[in-house]
Amino acid sequence: MGYDPYTPVEKNIDENQAILEERLGIGKSFDVGKREIVVMGRRLQLYYVTGLINSDLIVDLMTQLLLLNSLPEPGHDVLQTIHNRLVHQQVNSTEKLEDIYTAVLSGLIGIIIDEETEAFIVDVRSYPGRGPSEPDTEKTVRGSRDGYTENIIVNTALTRRRIRTGKLRNEILKVGDQSKTDIAIMYIEDIADPVIVDEIKRRISQIKVDGLTMTDKELEEFITGQVYNPYPLVRYTERPDVVAAHLYQGMIAIVVDTSPSVILGPVTLFDHLTSVEEYRQTPAVGTFLRIIRLGGIIVSIFLMPTWLLFVLHPEYLPDFLNFIGPQEQGNIPIILQVIAGEIGIEFLRMASIHTPTSISSALGIVSAILIGQVAVDVGLFGPEILFYVAVGALGAFVTPSYELGLANKMLKLFIIIGTALLGIWGYVGTIILSLIFLATMKSFGKPYLYPLVPFDFKALIRTVIRFPITYRYNHQQKQNQKKSSAK
């Protein structure tokens, strides 16, 4: 049977029933149900998905509707009388069958009434899922222990609990011709750039796909247009306090149903380098942690390529660093040892992800002691190679953004290969090419290397130093005043 998404609700309830039963798969899918009752001499049909609704609310709604049959004078306006008996905080009306179809598959209940062209949609959702808990990848010593879940309603509530202003906007969109995935765009009006908000909504509305199987990651590729660029143009987080802080800074958050990760944008490279732990300590300690983290990331990228340059070209090695260099050459070329070591670390990382928690510690011990020591004993690697690989791996682990850590790993391999092939020119050239590449990148129109490109000294200082909250608040107030005066 052909189906027009703009098909209106017909007065003949049997016509509506034929279309909805085919579209919803009633009689074919065991979890899609329909219940028909008679109220005030009219046939009412209720459509729902059993696994997504609160059964107690359904029973209560049906009880209230059936009580209408006991009224001595039910009145003439049947539609309004039934609407008044839908004792729920969220009841919407519609005149399109497509709205009922989409709502039922989203966990709401659709109610159609014989001889009426208007139907009701009642929100009785009760999604299965876990409760809020601290994300494994964003743990902190101090601070809240709640985190986002796979339920979009819970996620928006966790954010609104921290931002109690009427200017917080949660706009809902749907993506996927088949999946109808709910996507919420969160921002604070008068703080977020309305041009960027409109651009994000435009990009999402233009997505034509059957479904978002990988939820937020697929959505990211659609709205950013990334193909082979390894550097993330958005930031992911599972912490409501991080999202709330970034919303106050003018960012936009995108929440995708069934995903515990929230997308933040527009972002810069330095936004990926900030951690919630810095703001859970005093400004002095937070600045210390930030500097240590930045230093660790820089070391993780450039330590191995620099060491390789000095080993392959000792003439560039300063006299005070003459102790650098392998004391034992090993049985394979240095460059192959370096690449094998870097790739080996990735093997261990991927293995630990897929290893059950109960034996992950044993895997680390076996990998670090047994494999590493045996590799040195048989002459596959020099001890110094393993040392620098391990230091680089530790530096990558301190990167708050998991996606940025993987991108930096690819950048390091690029510099290593360039250094091995072209020496000092390859070393310098790959670094310059990488900086040019990053400088030309933009996240929804915002330069990726800001405040370095374009250069902003004050913003750069705020990036390196964790200023007191009072300073940040006063600075944000001034920025908001400038935006208001500009309008």
Side-chain angles (χ1 to χ4, degrees):
M1 178 185 298
Y3 180 72
D4 181 359
Y6 299 101
T7 299
V9 177
E10 301 291 344
K11 284 191 174 183
N12 189 339
I13 196 172
D14 293 326
E15 295 182 12
N16 300 326
Q17 176 182 342
I19 295 176
L20 288 176
E21 285 187 351
E22 180 190 5
R23 291 277 284 168
L24 294 172
I26 294 177
K28 300 177 182 178
S29 300
F30 75 94
D31 59 337
V32 183
K34 182 196 73 173
R35 179 67 190 273
E36 181 173 319
I37 58 177
V38 177
V39 175
M40 301 171 62
R42 299 282 188 89
R43 295 166 58 196
L44 267 70
Q45 291 180 349
L46 292 78
Y47 295 86
Y48 50 87
V49 177
T50 56
L52 301 179
I53 63 171
N54 187 324
S55 299
D56 294 335
L57 292 178
I58 298 293
V59 173
D60 185 57
L61 283 176
M62 294 177 62
T63 301
Q64 294 294 330
L65 291 173
L66 290 172
L67 286 175
L68 290 173
N69 293 328
S70 61
L71 296 179
E73 295 292 338
H76 300 288
D77 192 347
V78 177
L79 186 68
Q80 186 61 41
T81 304
I82 292 176
H83 183 250
N84 291 337
R85 279 300 177 116
L86 297 177
V87 286
H88 198 272
Q89 75 271 17
Q90 187 170 347
V91 179
N92 299 317
S93 61
T94 183
E95 296 181 353
K96 293 192 300 183
L97 288 178
E98 175 72 9
D99 294 340
I100 300 176
Y101 164 75
T102 303
V104 169
L105 294 181
S106 299
L108 291 79
I109 183 173
I111 303 175
I112 60 175
I113 307 168
D114 195 19
E115 300 181 16
E116 299 289 346
T117 59
E118 187 175 348
F120 296 113
I121 297 174
V122 186
D123 190 347
V124 292
R125 283 177 286 197
S126 179
Y127 289 154
R130 59 186 175 88
S133 60
E134 186 176 21
D136 290 334
T137 57
E138 297 178 274
K139 290 184 177 181
T140 178
V141 177
R142 296 283 185 267
S144 60
R145 297 287 185 250
D146 58 348
Y148 289 124
T149 70
E150 290 75 15
N151 189 325
I152 191 173
I153 304 299
V154 173
N155 292 345
T156 54
L158 288 172
T159 307
R160 189 170 286 279
R161 184 182 178 188
R162 290 167 167 81
I163 305 179
R164 299 182 179 181
T165 172
K167 293 185 177 181
L168 176 63
R169 300 290 179 256
N170 287 324
E171 299 186 19
I172 196 77
L173 300 173
K174 292 185 184 296
V175 173
D177 296 335
Q178 302 293 333
S179 66
K180 304 291 184 182
T181 303
D182 290 322
I183 296 175
I185 300 177
M186 292 193 297
Y187 62 94
I188 300 179
E189 199 171 45
D190 296 336
I191 296 181
D193 189 341
V195 176
I196 298 179
V197 174
D198 292 340
E199 177 64 18
I200 291 177
K201 289 192 290 187
R202 184 188 67 81
R203 295 185 185 185
I204 294 177
S205 63
Q206 290 181 344
I207 297 176
K208 302 298 180 184
V209 67
D210 287 339
L212 295 177
T213 54
M214 293 292 107
T215 59
D216 50 0
K217 188 58 186 175
E218 282 193 13
L219 180 67
E220 176 203 343
E221 293 187 15
F222 277 114
I223 63 177
T224 61
Q226 275 186 292
V227 182
Y228 298 110
N229 178 8
Y231 276 86
L233 296 179
V234 296
R235 180 179 179 180
Y236 287 94
T237 183
E238 296 183 29
R239 295 188 63 96
D241 50 359
V242 172
V243 171
H246 283 85
L247 289 179
Y248 278 120
Q249 295 173 11
M251 289 190 186
I252 297 100
I254 304 175
V255 186
V256 184
D257 194 21
T258 72
S259 173
S261 300
V262 171
I263 300 174
L264 289 169
V267 296
T268 67
L269 177 67
F270 296 97
D271 289 326
H272 289 283
L273 303 180
T274 58
S275 172
V276 65
E277 185 67 23
E278 300 165 4
Y279 295 95
R280 295 296 183 181
Q281 306 295 336
T282 63
V285 175
T287 301
F288 173 74
L289 294 176
R290 182 174 296 182
I291 293 175
I292 292 296
R293 178 176 290 106
L294 291 175
I297 295 172
I298 294 174
V299 167
S300 70
I301 297 174
F302 297 106
L303 178 62
M304 181 59 81
T306 305
W307 177 84
L308 180 63
L309 175 66
F310 290 152
V311 170
L312 297 179
H313 301 276
E315 63 272 18
Y316 300 121
L317 183 66
D319 293 336
F320 68 92
L321 295 177
N322 56 10
F323 60 89
I324 291 179
Q327 303 299 321
E328 301 176 12
Q329 293 293 333
N331 296 325
I332 59 177
I334 292 293
I335 180 60
L336 294 182
Q337 293 185 42
V338 171
I339 294 178
E342 295 292 340
I343 294 178
I345 288 292
E346 287 303 299
F347 284 166
L348 297 179
R349 182 189 63 81
M350 289 187 288
S352 64
I353 293 176
H354 301 289
T355 302
T357 305
S358 57
I359 61 175
S360 59
S361 299
L363 173 66
I365 295 174
V366 170
S367 303
I369 298 178
L370 183 59
I371 298 178
Q373 186 61 46
V374 171
V376 173
D377 291 342
V378 300
L380 292 177
F381 296 100
E384 201 167 354
I385 294 284
L386 293 183
F387 171 75
Y388 288 120
V389 167
V391 171
L394 289 176
F397 290 146
V398 304
T399 307
S401 171
Y402 177 73
E403 292 78 16
L404 181 63
L406 294 178
N408 287 338
K409 169 73 74 172
M410 296 180 65
L411 173 63
K412 177 168 64 172
L413 288 174
F414 176 59
I415 300 175
I416 287 174
I417 294 174
T419 303
L421 295 177
L422 301 176
I424 185 65
W425 296 109
Y427 178 82
V428 176
T430 51
I431 294 177
I432 293 177
L433 287 176
S434 301
L435 290 176
I436 294 175
F437 173 72
L438 293 174
T440 57
M441 289 173 50
K442 290 185 177 181
S443 172
F444 300 104
K446 186 174 183 179
Y448 199 63
L449 283 187
Y450 179 82
L452 284 178
V453 180
F455 185 74
D456 187 334
F457 180 75
K458 292 183 178 180
L460 183 61
I461 293 298
R462 291 194 298 269
T463 299
V464 177
I465 299 177
R466 198 289 234 183
F467 282 91
I469 298 297
T470 53
Y471 175 87
R472 293 176 55 246
Y473 175 77
N474 294 333
H475 174 75
Q476 187 64 49
Q477 290 293 101
K478 293 179 180 179
Q479 293 295 110
N480 295 340
Q481 292 176 359
K482 288 182 180 179
K483 292 181 180 180
S484 300
S485 60
K487 293 180 180 179

